[in-house]
């Protein structure tokens, strides 16, 4: 088994390699003067079980092209099996047609990865579970909930005042999974209306949150507007505090400043996307490592063992 990485998240790749007891494979991923991407594999991979770790985070198109070209390079170098390890799967929010004459870009990206030559995909907290069905190759969707639950248990010994909150109706399944791992704590839902992408208005809070420590859970935070609005609504309804656990910290534009100025006690994100300097310096943003989760999933895949048992 050999682990390689593009340029999207070298820190995570190095950490996962250390967990697996291997070194990140030698490969050159560089650009020509016109920004055209060139990949050269600098070691023998014939007959090897190859894993490519690459999030399709900002700049999404560049990192996606890096992944596709690396897959093609390994396929032409006679790798036995190629697994695309995509901690953050970009374009996942375009998983359906929301209006006329619009694409389903998540399906297009799935087709590109498959046709490039990947034999398997390993990803984390897809925005919509049905995206697994967009791939015509085996796809494992890992969940960050167990990692988050362990972190909450380590920091909050008394869970009697804790309530898990979903920021919208679509995230109830994820919120319920976290609640179950926290001794079936109470559950609440923020009912919101999204007028256009990147903007939302909180309409109501479903559930009794007065005097509770609220834990908002979601898969993606981008502009941060929804999360900040939800935190304000919960505090107005009498919540003691609001902490957010989000898998993918996209945090585009002025999102980091928005979080720092918000009423959130803390925002906890994973390193599925490599944290920027602004994220690392923010006083109320903390990064939770998914190294063990990704590393163990890669090890089990390589040894043909069950991955789903990680979440039993």
């Amino acid at each position: 088994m050999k682990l390689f990485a593009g340029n999207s998240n070298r820190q995570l790749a190095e950490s996962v390699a250390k967990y697996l007891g291997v070194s990140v494979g030698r490969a050159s991923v560089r650009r020509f003067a016109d920004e055209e991407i060139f990949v050269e594999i600098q070691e023998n991979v014939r007959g090897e079980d190859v894993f490519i770790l690459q999030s399709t985070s900002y700049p999404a198109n560049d990192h996606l092209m890096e992944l596709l070209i690396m897959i093609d390079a390994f396929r032409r170098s006679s790798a036995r099996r190629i697994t695309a390890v995509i901690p953050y799967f970009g374009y996942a929010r375009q998983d359906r047609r929301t209006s006329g004459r619009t694409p389903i870009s998540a399906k297009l990206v799935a087709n590109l990865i498959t046709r490039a030559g990947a034999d398997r995909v390993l990803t984390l907290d897809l925005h919509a579970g049905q995206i697994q069905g967009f791939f015509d190759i085996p796809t494992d969707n890992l969940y960050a909930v167990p990692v988050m639950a362990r972190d909450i248990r380590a920091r909050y010994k008394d869970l009697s005042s804790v309530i898990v909150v979903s920021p919208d109706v679509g995230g109830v399944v994820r919120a319920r999974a976290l609640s179950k791992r926290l001794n079936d704590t109470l559950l609440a839902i923020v009912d919101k209306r999204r007028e256009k992408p990147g903007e939302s208005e909180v309409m109501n809070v479903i559930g009794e949150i007065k005097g509770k420590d609220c834990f908002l859970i979601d898969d993606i935070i981008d502009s941060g507007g929804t999360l900040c609005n939800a935190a304000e609504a919960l505090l107005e309804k009498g919540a003691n505090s609001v902490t957010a656990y989000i898998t993918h910290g996209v945090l585009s534009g002025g999102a980091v400043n928005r979080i720092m100025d918000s009423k959130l006690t803390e925002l906890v994100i994973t390193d599925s996307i490599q944290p920027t300097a602004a994220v690392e310096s923010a006083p109320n943003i903390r990064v939770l490592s998914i190294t063990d989760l990704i590393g163990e999933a890669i090890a089990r895949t390589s040894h043909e063992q069950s991955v789903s048992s990680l979440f039993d």
Side-chain angles (χ1 to χ4, degrees), residues 22 40 50 54 86 90 131 203 228 276 283 285:
V22 300
E40 182 182 9
V50 169
Q54 175 84 333
I86 314 172
I131 294 175
M203 302 300 294
C228 293
T276 62
I285 301 179

Side-chain angles (χ1 to χ4, degrees), residues 66-287:
E66 281 186 13
L67 175 62
L68 297 175
I69 294 171
M70 289 184 77
I71 291 171
D72 185 74
F74 284 112
R75 182 173 63 85
R76 295 177 187 278
S77 301
S78 302
R80 177 171 57 86
R81 182 174 65 174
I82 303 167
T83 301
V85 183
I86 314 172
Y88 170 65
F89 182 77
Y91 287 97
R93 286 172 284 182
Q94 299 182 51
D95 63 313
R96 64 193 184 283
R97 297 187 69 188
T98 55
S99 61
R101 298 177 297 282
T102 56
I104 304 178
S105 303
K107 171 60 177 170
L108 172 62
V109 172
N111 288 344
L112 289 170
I113 292 171
T114 303
R115 292 302 298 269
D119 297 296
R120 192 177 194 95
V121 169
L122 187 64
T123 187
L124 175 70
D125 270 341
L126 284 171
H127 184 62
Q130 65 265 23
I131 294 175
Q132 285 181 280
F134 290 177
F135 289 92
D136 295 325
I137 54 179
T139 303
D140 291 309
N141 183 28
L142 307 178
Y143 303 100
V145 163
V147 179
M148 295 174 177
R150 283 195 297 271
D151 186 73
I152 292 172
R153 284 183 172 278
R155 290 172 175 269
Y156 295 85
K157 303 303 180 184
D158 182 11
L159 299 176
S160 60
S161 65
V162 166
I163 184 169
V164 178
V165 183
S166 172
D168 52 41
V169 176
V172 171
V173 173
R174 186 179 293 105
R176 187 178 293 119
L178 179 60
S179 172
K180 185 177 180 181
R181 288 181 177 271
L182 298 176
N183 298 337
D184 289 319
T185 57
L186 295 174
L187 199 64
I189 304 169
V190 176
D191 174 35
K192 75 170 188 285
R193 177 182 299 163
R194 187 181 294 277
E195 299 294 345
K196 57 183 179 180
E199 294 185 12
S200 64
E201 176 188 356
V202 173
M203 302 300 294
N204 195 18
V205 177
I206 304 169
E208 183 53 57
I209 51 90
K210 188 174 182 179
K212 298 289 186 181
D213 293 310
C214 297
F215 287 87
L216 276 161
I217 179 171
D218 208 351
D219 62 320
I220 297 173
I221 175 171
D222 190 348
S223 66
T226 297
L227 196 64
C228 293
N229 289 343
E232 287 186 12
L234 292 168
L235 291 169
E236 287 173 3
K237 293 288 184 179
N240 283 341
S241 65
V242 181
T243 301
Y245 277 78
I246 313 293
T247 305
H248 308 298
V250 177
L251 297 171
S252 61
V256 174
N257 289 331
R258 191 172 293 116
I259 294 300
M260 287 194 293
D261 295 337
S262 73
K263 297 180 179 179
L264 279 168
T265 301
E266 187 178 41
L267 167 63
V268 183
I269 58 175
T270 75
D271 54 356
S272 63
I273 297 173
Q274 186 164 300
T276 62
V279 168
E280 292 178 335
S281 62
N284 61 342
I285 301 179
R286 181 164 56 89
V287 180

Side-chain angles (χ1 to χ4, degrees), residues 14-85:
E14 294 288 349
S15 298
V16 170
K18 185 176 180 180
Y19 176 90
L20 294 169
V22 300
S23 299
V24 177
R26 289 182 288 110
S28 174
V29 183
R30 61 183 187 272
R31 283 165 174 73
F32 293 130
D34 62 353
E35 295 298 309
E36 186 177 299
I37 296 168
F38 175 75
V39 172
E40 182 182 9
I41 311 304
Q42 297 174 326
E43 59 184 85
N44 180 31
V45 294
R46 184 179 296 272
E48 297 284 357
D49 191 8
V50 169
F51 292 82
I52 309 169
L53 195 151
Q54 175 84 333
S55 283
T56 51
S57 50
Y58 175 85
N61 297 334
D62 285 2
H63 288 153
L64 175 60
M65 279 304 299
E66 281 186 13
L67 175 62
L68 297 175
I69 294 171
M70 289 184 77
I71 291 171
D72 185 74
F74 284 112
R75 182 173 63 85
R76 295 177 187 278
S77 301
S78 302
R80 177 171 57 86
R81 182 174 65 174
I82 303 167
T83 301
V85 183

